[in-house]
Amino acid sequence: MSVNLVNIGFGNIVLESRIIAVLSPESAPLKRLIQESREKGVLIDATFGRKTRSLIITDSHQVILSAIQSETIANRMTSKNSSREVKDLAL
């Protein structure tokens, strides 16, 4: 069993199997979710002071802020999966 990690920017890495959603934080409901998570103490800010461009929700109800676009994170996840499938086919 392999552990799949996803780089969410600036050397921060998240376990791929724990990610439920990668969202753009522009809507009002998601901004409220960020504020509520901050108040509950379950918010992880991985932006290093830059603009928040994606919101990652995990299965442990942690909310992670990233300065990387949500499309970029999704591409990193899918490119790892497709390269892993090619390796599996070669076996």
Side-chain angles (χ1 to χ4, degrees):
M1 185 168 142
S2 65
V3 176
N4 303 320
L5 302 172
V6 178
N7 184 340
I8 61 166
F10 308 109
N12 298 300
I13 299 171
V14 176
L15 189 61
E16 183 178 3
S17 62
R18 302 299 300 259
I19 296 174
I20 293 176
V22 181
L23 307 166
S24 176
E26 300 303 320
S27 69
L30 291 178
K31 289 180 181 180
R32 279 194 300 274
L33 177 65
I34 292 170
Q35 187 58 39
E36 290 169 1
S37 299
R38 184 175 280 119
E39 291 168 1
K40 290 179 185 176
V42 295
L43 182 73
I44 300 170
D45 188 350
T47 62
F48 283 77
R50 292 176 174 80
K51 180 181 176 183
T52 300
R53 296 194 176 173
S54 64
L55 180 72
I56 301 166
I57 301 175
T58 67
D59 62 352
S60 60
H61 305 289
Q62 297 285 323
V63 176
I64 304 169
L65 305 179
S66 175
I68 305 296
Q69 291 284 346
S70 53
E71 294 86 9
T72 303
I73 295 172
N75 287 338
R76 290 177 182 180
M77 291 171 66
T78 56
S79 67
K80 277 185 163 184
N81 287 336
S82 60
S83 66
R84 202 171 310 114
E85 289 171 3
V86 170
K87 289 178 184 176
D88 290 342
L89 290 175
L91 297 177

